[in-house]
Amino acid sequence: MANILLLGAGFVTGPLVEYLHAKNHHITVGSQFLYEAEELVGGRDRLTPLQVDVTNEAEMRELVKEADLVVSFVPFQFHVSVAKICVAEKTSMVTASYTHEDMWKLDEAAKEAGITILNEIGVDPGIDHMTAMQVIDEAHEQGSKVEALVSWCGGIPAPEANNNPLGYKFSWSPMAVLSAVSNDAYYLRRGEKKSIPGDDLLNSMRDVTLTSEMDLKGYANRDSLGYKEDYRIPEVQTLLRGTLRYAGFGPVIDSAKRVGLLSAQPFADKAPASWQELMSSLSGVEPEQLGEKLVDNQSVNDSFAWLGCFSDEQVKGNSPIEAFCNLLTDKLKYENDEQDMIVMQHRLVLVDEKGNKTFHRSTLIEKGDVGGYSAMAKTVGYPAAIAADLLLSGKITRKGVCIPVTQDIYEPVLEELEKLNIKMTEEIITSQNEESFLNHL
């Protein structure tokens, strides 16, 4: 039995706590809000709720010093400061977030401390890395090269719960979702580097037919170019990692961005009295004309009206994006009898030593449990929990700052995920040409 410090008690922590608790570990659940930690703990033995301020270095040092491992599920901007304390206290750490430059800078210090800082061990990033690498490594072992890799992932409502104009509901941080749509994107197409400015990202959405029953839209996710090295595929000519959504999401969120709803600039004095007042002040459109003239697309205007953006409803938040997050959290939430869904698909063009091409498709469709864990919670929480347990049991021994792209990490994690019925379906596709298979990139 080990002592684990979990920082964060939000959307996706339930499966993580359940898994590690079943492994007989003691878990201190630290949250900014004590009631969240208490709710997650639920009075179970070997679980201790605690109010924690992750910006309080002295407090954090004491907590980390008592832990055998730290799982950080706080917002990504706090991970590096937590990691520095973990290095100082020689305590390994797990996160599900992307590894930013300042985190990579801790690699040598982590190795010297003899610890592991394992990042990107959720779903995207996480399961996407591990399942892609499993196919890539197997192809390389057989003497084949990876000519193309297009990898899509999205957390969306299950089809039967897709019942609002945006085609979206929140199963994780609204702020993270909205912030991601402003990132510039970079990818590789037939050997040529391509870029999409963040301002145009949602306008670049393309059709993606995930299955014969599921047509979605996809857009490039952040910088795919670095995965040429991370995935050890120097030969690759087409490389894109993208995000999947239903068709309604892009036009509405892009319009919200252009109107100014994604601005983090605090309100000058106090929040506008109503949403109608806020939308009018941001757009310059008279309040009574918002429903017809906010943007040139009437269906988008209707979507904003459905959200309550033209109403007398009170604005809650200190900036436009904070207020919009709060509004979306209220309007786009799952009912108790509704399911979310994780959809993931890799499409690889593999070329053998004789020049023959194989179109390999890997697909994961994971639905949430009605009245139980969401698909997002399961596919983020379980991989992180499994990795934490593997580190504590000595089955993952790699030191330093790392992501799960090596066999010593991804193989045991994927084996354990399969026991939880989280597994890709592998197919060889013969019914499409290469252009169609790669979504006409």
Side-chain angles (χ1 to χ4, degrees):
M1 181 175 73
N3 291 317
I4 298 170
L5 173 62
L6 168 61
L7 299 173
F11 280 125
V12 297
T13 50
L16 180 139
V17 169
E18 175 214 84
Y19 183 92
L20 292 173
H21 187 253
K23 295 289 183 178
N24 293 318
H25 298 302
H26 179 274
I27 307 166
T28 298
V29 179
S31 174
Q32 179 184 4
F33 305 106
L34 182 59
Y35 73 89
E36 286 188 345
E38 290 174 335
E39 185 175 328
L40 181 59
V41 165
R44 290 174 285 179
D45 65 341
R46 291 181 285 105
L47 299 178
T48 303
L50 190 67
Q51 186 168 15
V52 173
D53 177 4
V54 294
T55 66
N56 185 327
E57 185 175 346
E59 178 186 4
M60 285 297 300
R61 280 186 177 274
E62 289 302 313
L63 291 171
V64 172
K65 188 180 297 183
E66 297 299 318
D68 298 304
L69 181 136
V70 174
V71 179
S72 183
F73 269 22
V74 292
F76 72 89
Q77 61 265 32
F78 298 114
H79 289 322
V80 172
S81 61
V82 173
K84 288 179 178 178
I85 294 171
C86 287
V87 169
E89 299 299 334
K90 299 184 178 181
T91 303
S92 290
M93 171 177 163
V94 170
T95 86
S97 299
Y98 281 104
T99 313
H100 290 271
E101 183 180 352
D102 288 342
M103 183 70 85
W104 283 118
K105 290 177 181 177
L106 298 176
D107 182 48
E108 285 303 318
K111 288 176 180 174
E112 289 176 9
I115 68 167
T116 305
I117 299 177
L118 177 57
N119 301 293
E120 305 187 25
I121 187 73
V123 58
D124 176 8
I127 293 176
D128 55 350
H129 293 334
M130 296 186 286
T131 51
M133 285 308 308
Q134 192 172 46
V135 177
I136 290 167
D137 282 346
E138 183 177 331
H140 283 165
E141 287 171 9
Q142 295 174 354
S144 294
K145 293 184 177 181
V146 179
E147 183 177 281
L149 167 61
V150 177
S151 178
W152 299 106
C153 185
I156 56 179
E160 55 272 19
N162 179 22
N163 52 18
N164 68 57
L166 279 76
Y168 195 78
K169 295 182 181 184
F170 286 99
S171 55
W172 70 302
S173 167
M175 186 66 76
V177 173
L178 295 182
S179 298
V181 301
S182 295
N183 293 322
D184 296 339
Y186 305 90
Y187 65 99
L188 192 65
R189 179 181 182 271
R190 298 178 185 174
E192 183 179 354
K193 294 179 181 179
K194 297 287 187 179
S195 64
I196 305 172
D199 284 347
D200 296 329
L201 188 64
L202 294 176
N203 284 329
S204 72
M205 295 180 81
R206 64 180 66 244
D207 294 331
V208 178
T209 301
L210 194 79
T211 68
S212 58
E213 298 84 26
M214 197 178 302
D215 289 323
L216 301 170
K217 296 284 187 178
Y219 59 90
N221 181 12
R222 302 175 184 250
D223 187 356
S224 298
L225 301 177
Y227 290 95
K228 185 174 183 177
E229 179 178 351
D230 291 339
Y231 287 178
R232 302 183 293 283
I233 43 175
E235 72 273 21
V236 76
Q237 296 298 300
T238 296
L239 177 60
L240 181 143
R241 286 164 39 85
T243 298
L244 294 173
R245 296 284 184 258
Y246 286 116
F249 180 86
V252 175
I253 300 302
D254 184 62
S255 296
K257 182 163 56 173
R258 296 183 187 284
V259 167
L261 278 175
L262 304 195
S263 169
Q265 182 70 32
F267 295 124
D269 184 14
K270 61 179 181 178
S274 69
W275 268 95
Q276 184 184 68
E277 181 183 328
L278 173 59
M279 295 300 286
S280 181
S281 66
L282 287 174
S283 65
V285 176
E286 292 298 321
E288 63 274 9
Q289 297 181 316
L290 286 168
E292 292 76 35
K293 295 188 176 180
L294 179 68
V295 296
D296 291 335
N297 185 325
Q298 189 55 47
S299 67
V300 171
N301 289 335
D302 292 343
S303 297
F304 279 117
W306 182 89
L307 286 169
C309 290
F310 308 147
S311 72
D312 292 331
E313 189 173 335
Q314 182 183 356
V315 173
K316 300 174 183 177
N318 297 316
S319 67
I321 192 169
E322 186 177 314
F324 196 44
C325 281
N326 290 332
L327 180 70
L328 294 180
T329 299
D330 181 53
K331 302 291 184 180
L332 305 182
K333 58 188 175 185
Y334 286 94
E335 300 298 331
N336 290 335
D337 60 347
E338 292 182 330
Q339 296 169 287
D340 72 324
M341 181 171 66
I342 292 293
V343 288
M344 182 184 294
Q345 191 170 87
H346 309 310
R347 303 182 184 196
L348 298 97
V349 177
L350 308 176
V351 185
D352 67 18
E353 293 169 321
K354 295 181 180 180
N356 299 312
K357 292 186 177 182
T358 298
F359 299 163
H360 187 115
R361 187 171 73 190
S362 308
T363 306
L364 171 69
I365 300 177
E366 178 73 18
K367 289 187 177 182
D369 303 325
V370 175
Y373 295 136
S374 68
M376 182 68 74
K378 290 189 290 182
T379 54
V380 174
Y382 283 137
I386 291 166
D389 186 60
L390 290 168
L391 280 165
L392 289 166
S393 63
K395 294 176 182 176
I396 292 178
T397 60
R398 185 176 294 268
K399 305 303 180 186
V401 177
C402 51
I403 61 176
V405 294
T406 52
Q407 191 172 6
D408 59 311
I409 298 176
Y410 71 67
E411 191 170 77
V413 175
L414 290 177
E415 284 179 3
E416 195 68 16
L417 282 173
E418 187 171 349
K419 295 176 185 177
L420 297 169
N421 297 314
I422 299 174
K423 185 182 183 234
M424 302 289 270
T425 299
E426 311 289 347
E427 301 171 276
I428 302 300
I429 304 302
T430 59
S431 58
Q432 290 179 276
N433 61 32
E434 185 170 341
E435 184 178 10
S436 170
F437 180 67
L438 295 177
N439 305 114
H440 303 278
L441 277 176

